[in-house]
Amino acid sequence: MQSWTPESWRARPAAQQPDWPDGHALEQALKQLSTLPPLVFAGEAAGLRRALAQVSAGEAFVLQAGDCAESFADFAADTIRDKLKVILQMAVVLTYAGGVPVVKLGRIAGQFAKPRSSPTEVVDGVELPVFRGHIVNDDAPSPAGRVPDPRRLVRAYHQSAATLNLLRAFTKGGYADLSQVHTWNQEFVASSPGGRRYAAVADEIERALRFMRACGINLGDENDLHQVDFWTSHEALILGYEEALTRRDSLSGDWYDCSAHLLWVGERTRQLDGAHVEFLSGVANPVAAKIGPTATPEELVALCDRLDPDRQPGRLTLVSRMGAEQVSTLLPPLLSAVERSGHPVVWTCDPMHGNTFTGPGGRKTRHFEHVIAEISGFFDACRSVGTWPGGVHVELTGDNVTECLGGSEAIGEDDLELRYTTTCDPRLNGRQSLDLAFRVAELLRR
Ligand code: PEP
Ligand code: CO
């Protein structure tokens, strides 16, 4: 910690970094980024840390959700709005039916970089560099498009800024007002069983608001009814980009990575002595780490010591992603070890990344019931050791895609071809996301 600087990660092995062919262009891009305004402020990141501290105390629940990878091609107001709609709907369900305040955290406005299991892939007999997210290269399988291009770093910054601007307008400018609760139900969602169940909840909320008004309560003064706090997060993968957006807070003197409110290290970059953990150890933002099946209790406690040496509530979130079959055996010893260590972490469940498989048509997919099974196993594991199940972390879109199997509309393998538009992992569609929220609310109520 003594020797931490925004660039101290450079002395450590950095996994998953692109092979930028043009060093000069990279330097230019990073220099430009370092002069551009921060996307979020230190005070906001500290606000999220306080919200997460409530989760670590068992008083709130986190909903972290958004794309696997945001796309330069699919960048429009409607897609952002529809993603926000489904997250707001899910949060209403969790708050109303689950009975807990919900911290709303998007995988959005910066979620562009992807860790990959292999540096190359073979497409139609040609070996190409693998797609690493639009912040690095193009998903189209052409040799030219797959060359890492540093200008993409700057483009990702600008798209993040525009996305965040719209999110701020939507969430603070009336769109997230609780009186709008019915308008978040998109047509293709509203016609589903989950959508009808949601409409009933929305009716009850409207009735409760009318009741309070009739009692003489001036709802106009209640800020929390008219706007929501919506936080941003992404995987801190491309460390040059994160370094360039790291700024010193003039009030506290602390360093904050101002590219998002929360940053996380992934399953492939959480090495204790690696560059990613070094970088996150020194920024004052709330941070998270994905924890997969290979993690040992000792290693995990060492990671907690490294990322949360001051045992600060809200500082560290651990995201379990074990897979539905392994969660009940692998997770309890990890939960117990962290309980014993005294780190006041938030535990959440990513039920997506341990349940991915390739269907017969060659499409990567996930089954809705496996996703639910992992969340359910996570809740059981947490309860067995007395840890608060603090949230879920899911990949979703508001669009009517057919990328994950199952759910109330029973998407089958033949349907995957219909509307499979993700550039990386398969996402839950709007209906499946709402169904998931109802299932999680039931688990919370138990
Ligand atoms: C992701 O969140 O998109 C991801 C790659 O997750 P993990 O690091 O858990 O595999
Ligand atoms: Co993913």
Side-chain angles (χ1 to χ4, degrees), residues 67-69 107 111 113-116 235 237 264-270 289-292 319-321 350 352-354 366 393 395 424-425:
D67 274 306
C68 179
R107 281 177 67 113
Q111 175 50 29
K114 296 316 301 172
R116 304 314 300 259
E235 178 170 353
L237 189 72
W264 77 81
V265 285
E267 170 67 357
R268 296 164 191 78
T269 51
R270 62 175 164 79
K290 294 287 201 82
I291 306 299
V319 187
S320 162
R321 34 89 81 223
D350 165 357
M352 314 297 291
H353 290 89
R366 293 157 172 159
H393 176 130
E395 290 182 342
C424 196
D425 289 340

mmCIF file of all heavy atoms in Angstrom, residues 67-69 107 111 113-116 235 237 264-270 289-292 319-321 350 352-354 366 393 395 424-425, ligand 1:
data_model
loop_
_atom_site.group_PDB
_atom_site.id
_atom_site.type_symbol
_atom_site.label_atom_id
_atom_site.label_comp_id
_atom_site.label_asym_id
_atom_site.label_seq_id
_atom_site.Cartn_x
_atom_site.Cartn_y
_atom_site.Cartn_z
ATOM 1 N N ASP A 67 -25.389 -5.567 -19.587
ATOM 2 C CA ASP A 67 -24.820 -6.389 -20.647
ATOM 3 C C ASP A 67 -23.595 -7.153 -20.198
ATOM 4 O O ASP A 67 -22.880 -6.718 -19.300
ATOM 5 C CB ASP A 67 -24.354 -5.472 -21.785
ATOM 6 C CG ASP A 67 -25.467 -5.168 -22.747
ATOM 7 O OD1 ASP A 67 -26.073 -6.114 -23.258
ATOM 8 O OD2 ASP A 67 -25.725 -3.965 -22.975
ATOM 9 N N CYS A 68 -23.310 -8.244 -20.893
ATOM 10 C CA CYS A 68 -22.004 -8.874 -20.731
ATOM 11 C C CYS A 68 -20.972 -7.899 -21.267
ATOM 12 O O CYS A 68 -20.002 -7.584 -20.590
ATOM 13 C CB CYS A 68 -21.927 -10.182 -21.508
ATOM 14 S SG CYS A 68 -20.318 -10.957 -21.357
ATOM 15 N N ALA A 69 -21.203 -7.424 -22.495
ATOM 16 C CA ALA A 69 -20.310 -6.438 -23.109
ATOM 17 C C ALA A 69 -21.160 -5.395 -23.802
ATOM 18 O O ALA A 69 -21.998 -5.735 -24.637
ATOM 19 C CB ALA A 69 -19.396 -7.111 -24.114
ATOM 20 N N ARG A 107 -24.191 -2.786 -14.873
ATOM 21 C CA ARG A 107 -22.982 -3.166 -15.616
ATOM 22 C C ARG A 107 -23.103 -2.343 -16.880
ATOM 23 O O ARG A 107 -23.550 -2.844 -17.914
ATOM 24 C CB ARG A 107 -23.041 -4.637 -16.036
ATOM 25 C CG ARG A 107 -22.721 -5.701 -15.033
ATOM 26 C CD ARG A 107 -22.920 -7.093 -15.660
ATOM 27 N NE ARG A 107 -21.979 -7.400 -16.721
ATOM 28 C CZ ARG A 107 -21.041 -8.331 -16.650
ATOM 29 N NH1 ARG A 107 -20.898 -9.082 -15.589
ATOM 30 N NH2 ARG A 107 -20.236 -8.546 -17.673
ATOM 31 N N GLN A 111 -18.740 -0.954 -19.498
ATOM 32 C CA GLN A 111 -18.523 -2.411 -19.487
ATOM 33 C C GLN A 111 -18.201 -2.885 -20.921
ATOM 34 O O GLN A 111 -19.039 -3.471 -21.590
ATOM 35 C CB GLN A 111 -19.748 -3.111 -18.889
ATOM 36 C CG GLN A 111 -19.744 -4.627 -18.912
ATOM 37 C CD GLN A 111 -18.483 -5.272 -18.367
ATOM 38 O OE1 GLN A 111 -17.804 -4.717 -17.500
ATOM 39 N NE2 GLN A 111 -18.119 -6.407 -18.892
ATOM 40 N N ALA A 113 -14.773 -4.238 -21.889
ATOM 41 C CA ALA A 113 -13.610 -5.111 -22.078
ATOM 42 C C ALA A 113 -13.904 -6.530 -21.616
ATOM 43 O O ALA A 113 -14.517 -6.729 -20.571
ATOM 44 C CB ALA A 113 -12.433 -4.561 -21.277
ATOM 45 N N LYS A 114 -13.488 -7.520 -22.401
ATOM 46 C CA LYS A 114 -13.783 -8.911 -22.065
ATOM 47 C C LYS A 114 -12.526 -9.736 -21.858
ATOM 48 O O LYS A 114 -11.641 -9.766 -22.723
ATOM 49 C CB LYS A 114 -14.593 -9.558 -23.194
ATOM 50 C CG LYS A 114 -15.954 -8.957 -23.435
ATOM 51 C CD LYS A 114 -16.752 -8.662 -22.183
ATOM 52 C CE LYS A 114 -17.031 -9.877 -21.297
ATOM 53 N NZ LYS A 114 -17.644 -9.458 -19.985
ATOM 54 N N PRO A 115 -12.441 -10.444 -20.721
ATOM 55 C CA PRO A 115 -11.372 -11.429 -20.547
ATOM 56 C C PRO A 115 -11.725 -12.661 -21.372
ATOM 57 O O PRO A 115 -12.899 -12.972 -21.526
ATOM 58 C CB PRO A 115 -11.450 -11.747 -19.056
ATOM 59 C CG PRO A 115 -12.896 -11.557 -18.715
ATOM 60 C CD PRO A 115 -13.401 -10.449 -19.605
ATOM 61 N N ARG A 116 -10.761 -13.338 -21.926
ATOM 62 C CA ARG A 116 -11.057 -14.497 -22.768
ATOM 63 C C ARG A 116 -10.223 -15.694 -22.333
ATOM 64 O O ARG A 116 -9.134 -15.525 -21.792
ATOM 65 C CB ARG A 116 -10.764 -14.162 -24.244
ATOM 66 C CG ARG A 116 -11.507 -12.954 -24.776
ATOM 67 C CD ARG A 116 -12.987 -12.904 -24.432
ATOM 68 N NE ARG A 116 -13.777 -14.005 -24.919
ATOM 69 C CZ ARG A 116 -14.550 -13.973 -25.989
ATOM 70 N NH1 ARG A 116 -14.632 -12.873 -26.723
ATOM 71 N NH2 ARG A 116 -15.251 -15.023 -26.346
ATOM 72 N N GLU A 235 -15.892 -4.285 -15.243
ATOM 73 C CA GLU A 235 -14.663 -4.997 -14.901
ATOM 74 C C GLU A 235 -13.468 -4.108 -15.253
ATOM 75 O O GLU A 235 -13.350 -3.629 -16.384
ATOM 76 C CB GLU A 235 -14.576 -6.332 -15.664
ATOM 77 C CG GLU A 235 -13.272 -7.066 -15.357
ATOM 78 C CD GLU A 235 -13.205 -8.490 -15.885
ATOM 79 O OE1 GLU A 235 -14.225 -8.997 -16.397
ATOM 80 O OE2 GLU A 235 -12.119 -9.084 -15.774
ATOM 81 N N LEU A 237 -10.447 -4.109 -16.470
ATOM 82 C CA LEU A 237 -9.614 -5.096 -17.166
ATOM 83 C C LEU A 237 -8.444 -4.446 -17.891
ATOM 84 O O LEU A 237 -7.303 -4.881 -17.766
ATOM 85 C CB LEU A 237 -10.476 -5.883 -18.160
ATOM 86 C CG LEU A 237 -9.766 -7.067 -18.788
ATOM 87 C CD1 LEU A 237 -9.593 -8.187 -17.776
ATOM 88 C CD2 LEU A 237 -10.519 -7.596 -20.001
ATOM 89 N N TRP A 264 -14.519 -4.035 -10.710
ATOM 90 C CA TRP A 264 -14.249 -5.379 -10.178
ATOM 91 C C TRP A 264 -13.117 -6.061 -10.923
ATOM 92 O O TRP A 264 -12.787 -5.696 -12.049
ATOM 93 C CB TRP A 264 -15.516 -6.235 -10.185
ATOM 94 C CG TRP A 264 -15.972 -6.822 -11.492
ATOM 95 C CD1 TRP A 264 -15.495 -7.960 -12.091
ATOM 96 C CD2 TRP A 264 -17.034 -6.343 -12.340
ATOM 97 N NE1 TRP A 264 -16.201 -8.209 -13.254
ATOM 98 C CE2 TRP A 264 -17.141 -7.246 -13.431
ATOM 99 C CE3 TRP A 264 -17.901 -5.252 -12.285
ATOM 100 C CZ2 TRP A 264 -18.083 -7.074 -14.453
ATOM 101 C CZ3 TRP A 264 -18.830 -5.087 -13.306
ATOM 102 C CH2 TRP A 264 -18.910 -5.990 -14.366
ATOM 103 N N VAL A 265 -12.501 -7.039 -10.231
ATOM 104 C CA VAL A 265 -11.572 -7.949 -10.910
ATOM 105 C C VAL A 265 -12.337 -9.223 -11.213
ATOM 106 O O VAL A 265 -13.172 -9.672 -10.426
ATOM 107 C CB VAL A 265 -10.305 -8.314 -10.090
ATOM 108 C CG1 VAL A 265 -9.320 -7.168 -10.075
ATOM 109 C CG2 VAL A 265 -10.639 -8.802 -8.699
ATOM 110 N N GLY A 266 -12.033 -9.798 -12.376
ATOM 111 C CA GLY A 266 -12.748 -10.986 -12.827
ATOM 112 C C GLY A 266 -12.094 -12.254 -12.315
ATOM 113 O O GLY A 266 -11.050 -12.231 -11.652
ATOM 114 N N GLU A 267 -12.737 -13.359 -12.648
ATOM 115 C CA GLU A 267 -12.245 -14.681 -12.251
ATOM 116 C C GLU A 267 -10.843 -14.930 -12.819
ATOM 117 O O GLU A 267 -10.044 -15.626 -12.206
ATOM 118 C CB GLU A 267 -13.262 -15.727 -12.755
ATOM 119 C CG GLU A 267 -12.857 -17.170 -12.677
ATOM 120 C CD GLU A 267 -12.723 -17.686 -11.249
ATOM 121 O OE1 GLU A 267 -12.894 -16.914 -10.287
ATOM 122 O OE2 GLU A 267 -12.413 -18.887 -11.108
ATOM 123 N N ARG A 268 -10.531 -14.338 -13.970
ATOM 124 C CA ARG A 268 -9.234 -14.595 -14.604
ATOM 125 C C ARG A 268 -8.163 -13.583 -14.231
ATOM 126 O O ARG A 268 -7.034 -13.680 -14.684
ATOM 127 C CB ARG A 268 -9.403 -14.616 -16.136
ATOM 128 C CG ARG A 268 -10.295 -15.738 -16.637
ATOM 129 C CD ARG A 268 -10.722 -15.480 -18.074
ATOM 130 N NE ARG A 268 -11.772 -16.392 -18.492
ATOM 131 C CZ ARG A 268 -13.062 -16.255 -18.138
ATOM 132 N NH1 ARG A 268 -13.456 -15.258 -17.370
ATOM 133 N NH2 ARG A 268 -13.957 -17.131 -18.562
ATOM 134 N N THR A 269 -8.517 -12.576 -13.455
ATOM 135 C CA THR A 269 -7.517 -11.527 -13.141
ATOM 136 C C THR A 269 -7.434 -11.243 -11.649
ATOM 137 O O THR A 269 -6.990 -10.178 -11.245
ATOM 138 C CB THR A 269 -7.862 -10.213 -13.887
ATOM 139 O OG1 THR A 269 -9.221 -9.879 -13.632
ATOM 140 C CG2 THR A 269 -7.634 -10.338 -15.374
ATOM 141 N N ARG A 270 -7.848 -12.215 -10.818
ATOM 142 C CA ARG A 270 -7.837 -11.944 -9.375
ATOM 143 C C ARG A 270 -6.584 -12.485 -8.680
ATOM 144 O O ARG A 270 -6.583 -12.672 -7.458
ATOM 145 C CB ARG A 270 -9.113 -12.482 -8.721
ATOM 146 C CG ARG A 270 -9.302 -13.967 -8.828
ATOM 147 C CD ARG A 270 -10.524 -14.430 -8.043
ATOM 148 N NE ARG A 270 -10.954 -15.756 -8.421
ATOM 149 C CZ ARG A 270 -10.388 -16.888 -8.013
ATOM 150 N NH1 ARG A 270 -9.359 -16.861 -7.209
ATOM 151 N NH2 ARG A 270 -10.862 -18.054 -8.423
ATOM 152 N N ALA A 289 -14.723 -8.568 -6.432
ATOM 153 C CA ALA A 289 -13.943 -9.634 -7.059
ATOM 154 C C ALA A 289 -14.872 -10.800 -7.345
ATOM 155 O O ALA A 289 -15.681 -11.179 -6.501
ATOM 156 C CB ALA A 289 -12.804 -10.079 -6.149
ATOM 157 N N LYS A 290 -14.735 -11.351 -8.551
ATOM 158 C CA LYS A 290 -15.468 -12.564 -8.888
ATOM 159 C C LYS A 290 -14.740 -13.742 -8.238
ATOM 160 O O LYS A 290 -13.502 -13.810 -8.286
ATOM 161 C CB LYS A 290 -15.483 -12.766 -10.401
ATOM 162 C CG LYS A 290 -16.266 -11.716 -11.177
ATOM 163 C CD LYS A 290 -17.756 -11.894 -10.997
ATOM 164 C CE LYS A 290 -18.513 -11.218 -12.114
ATOM 165 N NZ LYS A 290 -18.598 -12.018 -13.346
ATOM 166 N N ILE A 291 -15.521 -14.655 -7.661
ATOM 167 C CA ILE A 291 -14.926 -15.799 -6.979
ATOM 168 C C ILE A 291 -15.491 -17.080 -7.579
ATOM 169 O O ILE A 291 -16.672 -17.389 -7.423
ATOM 170 C CB ILE A 291 -15.221 -15.739 -5.453
ATOM 171 C CG1 ILE A 291 -14.771 -14.387 -4.863
ATOM 172 C CG2 ILE A 291 -14.558 -16.910 -4.735
ATOM 173 C CD1 ILE A 291 -13.288 -14.086 -4.976
ATOM 174 N N GLY A 292 -14.616 -17.821 -8.275
ATOM 175 C CA GLY A 292 -15.048 -19.032 -8.964
ATOM 176 C C GLY A 292 -14.617 -20.296 -8.235
ATOM 177 O O GLY A 292 -14.050 -20.233 -7.139
ATOM 178 N N VAL A 319 -18.240 -11.727 -5.367
ATOM 179 C CA VAL A 319 -19.288 -12.201 -6.271
ATOM 180 C C VAL A 319 -19.051 -13.682 -6.548
ATOM 181 O O VAL A 319 -18.146 -14.041 -7.302
ATOM 182 C CB VAL A 319 -19.267 -11.403 -7.591
ATOM 183 C CG1 VAL A 319 -20.459 -11.788 -8.464
ATOM 184 C CG2 VAL A 319 -19.245 -9.903 -7.332
ATOM 185 N N SER A 320 -19.860 -14.527 -5.932
ATOM 186 C CA SER A 320 -19.707 -15.968 -6.100
ATOM 187 C C SER A 320 -20.253 -16.393 -7.466
ATOM 188 O O SER A 320 -21.363 -16.037 -7.831
ATOM 189 C CB SER A 320 -20.482 -16.663 -4.972
ATOM 190 O OG SER A 320 -20.717 -18.017 -5.290
ATOM 191 N N ARG A 321 -19.457 -17.166 -8.218
ATOM 192 C CA ARG A 321 -19.936 -17.673 -9.540
ATOM 193 C C ARG A 321 -19.424 -19.094 -9.709
ATOM 194 O O ARG A 321 -18.525 -19.393 -10.456
ATOM 195 C CB ARG A 321 -19.538 -16.742 -10.697
ATOM 196 C CG ARG A 321 -18.228 -16.016 -10.595
ATOM 197 C CD ARG A 321 -17.082 -16.800 -11.170
ATOM 198 N NE ARG A 321 -16.943 -16.725 -12.600
ATOM 199 C CZ ARG A 321 -16.664 -17.796 -13.352
ATOM 200 N NH1 ARG A 321 -16.470 -18.986 -12.797
ATOM 201 N NH2 ARG A 321 -16.523 -17.679 -14.660
ATOM 202 N N ASP A 350 -23.376 -14.316 -8.796
ATOM 203 C CA ASP A 350 -23.459 -14.227 -10.257
ATOM 204 C C ASP A 350 -23.850 -15.625 -10.740
ATOM 205 O O ASP A 350 -23.012 -16.523 -10.762
ATOM 206 C CB ASP A 350 -22.100 -13.790 -10.820
ATOM 207 C CG ASP A 350 -21.967 -14.003 -12.326
ATOM 208 O OD1 ASP A 350 -22.901 -14.536 -12.953
ATOM 209 O OD2 ASP A 350 -20.911 -13.644 -12.877
ATOM 210 N N MET A 352 -24.639 -16.548 -13.655
ATOM 211 C CA MET A 352 -24.525 -16.647 -15.114
ATOM 212 C C MET A 352 -23.242 -17.380 -15.538
ATOM 213 O O MET A 352 -23.287 -18.306 -16.341
ATOM 214 C CB MET A 352 -24.500 -15.249 -15.753
ATOM 215 C CG MET A 352 -25.533 -14.243 -15.255
ATOM 216 S SD MET A 352 -27.260 -14.678 -15.548
ATOM 217 C CE MET A 352 -27.426 -14.544 -17.308
ATOM 218 N N HIS A 353 -22.084 -16.918 -15.015
ATOM 219 C CA HIS A 353 -20.820 -17.334 -15.617
ATOM 220 C C HIS A 353 -20.376 -18.751 -15.286
ATOM 221 O O HIS A 353 -19.483 -19.274 -15.941
ATOM 222 C CB HIS A 353 -19.734 -16.297 -15.315
ATOM 223 C CG HIS A 353 -19.979 -15.023 -16.058
ATOM 224 N ND1 HIS A 353 -20.745 -14.013 -15.536
ATOM 225 C CD2 HIS A 353 -19.644 -14.641 -17.311
ATOM 226 C CE1 HIS A 353 -20.835 -13.037 -16.429
ATOM 227 N NE2 HIS A 353 -20.176 -13.391 -17.522
ATOM 228 N N GLY A 354 -21.005 -19.368 -14.271
ATOM 229 C CA GLY A 354 -20.688 -20.766 -13.996
ATOM 230 C C GLY A 354 -21.659 -21.717 -14.676
ATOM 231 O O GLY A 354 -21.581 -22.928 -14.489
ATOM 232 N N ARG A 366 -27.329 -20.260 -21.732
ATOM 233 C CA ARG A 366 -27.513 -20.590 -20.322
ATOM 234 C C ARG A 366 -28.974 -20.947 -20.151
ATOM 235 O O ARG A 366 -29.822 -20.411 -20.872
ATOM 236 C CB ARG A 366 -27.212 -19.369 -19.437
ATOM 237 C CG ARG A 366 -25.759 -18.974 -19.467
ATOM 238 C CD ARG A 366 -25.548 -17.543 -19.101
ATOM 239 N NE ARG A 366 -24.132 -17.242 -18.964
ATOM 240 C CZ ARG A 366 -23.611 -16.021 -19.040
ATOM 241 N NH1 ARG A 366 -24.390 -14.984 -19.264
ATOM 242 N NH2 ARG A 366 -22.326 -15.839 -18.896
ATOM 243 N N HIS A 393 -25.998 -10.703 -9.367
ATOM 244 C CA HIS A 393 -25.230 -10.050 -10.432
ATOM 245 C C HIS A 393 -25.599 -10.773 -11.727
ATOM 246 O O HIS A 393 -25.254 -11.946 -11.888
ATOM 247 C CB HIS A 393 -23.738 -10.203 -10.091
ATOM 248 C CG HIS A 393 -22.801 -9.664 -11.130
ATOM 249 N ND1 HIS A 393 -21.769 -8.807 -10.813
ATOM 250 C CD2 HIS A 393 -22.712 -9.851 -12.460
ATOM 251 C CE1 HIS A 393 -21.093 -8.497 -11.909
ATOM 252 N NE2 HIS A 393 -21.646 -9.119 -12.931
ATOM 253 N N GLU A 395 -26.483 -10.854 -16.166
ATOM 254 C CA GLU A 395 -26.337 -10.285 -17.507
ATOM 255 C C GLU A 395 -27.707 -10.279 -18.174
ATOM 256 O O GLU A 395 -28.320 -11.328 -18.368
ATOM 257 C CB GLU A 395 -25.319 -11.088 -18.319
ATOM 258 C CG GLU A 395 -23.920 -10.866 -17.778
ATOM 259 C CD GLU A 395 -22.816 -11.572 -18.521
ATOM 260 O OE1 GLU A 395 -23.085 -12.527 -19.279
ATOM 261 O OE2 GLU A 395 -21.647 -11.175 -18.333
ATOM 262 N N CYS A 424 -21.074 -11.012 -26.794
ATOM 263 C CA CYS A 424 -20.259 -11.906 -25.957
ATOM 264 C C CYS A 424 -21.140 -12.984 -25.328
ATOM 265 O O CYS A 424 -21.548 -13.913 -26.003
ATOM 266 C CB CYS A 424 -19.491 -11.088 -24.937
ATOM 267 S SG CYS A 424 -18.140 -12.006 -24.194
ATOM 268 N N ASP A 425 -21.473 -12.866 -24.026
ATOM 269 C CA ASP A 425 -22.246 -13.926 -23.375
ATOM 270 C C ASP A 425 -23.752 -13.737 -23.565
ATOM 271 O O ASP A 425 -24.236 -12.616 -23.737
ATOM 272 C CB ASP A 425 -21.954 -13.930 -21.863
ATOM 273 C CG ASP A 425 -20.562 -14.439 -21.551
ATOM 274 O OD1 ASP A 425 -19.967 -15.115 -22.402
ATOM 275 O OD2 ASP A 425 -20.077 -14.145 -20.445
HETATM 276 C C1 PEP B 1 -18.171 -11.277 -16.838
HETATM 277 O O1 PEP B 1 -18.655 -10.820 -15.797
HETATM 278 O O2 PEP B 1 -18.587 -10.969 -17.967
HETATM 279 C C2 PEP B 1 -17.087 -12.290 -16.723
HETATM 280 C C3 PEP B 1 -16.246 -12.520 -17.706
HETATM 281 O O3 PEP B 1 -17.106 -12.923 -15.538
HETATM 282 P P1 PEP B 1 -16.032 -13.882 -14.825
HETATM 283 O O4 PEP B 1 -14.796 -13.060 -14.599
HETATM 284 O O5 PEP B 1 -16.729 -14.225 -13.538
HETATM 285 O O6 PEP B 1 -15.812 -15.063 -15.709
#
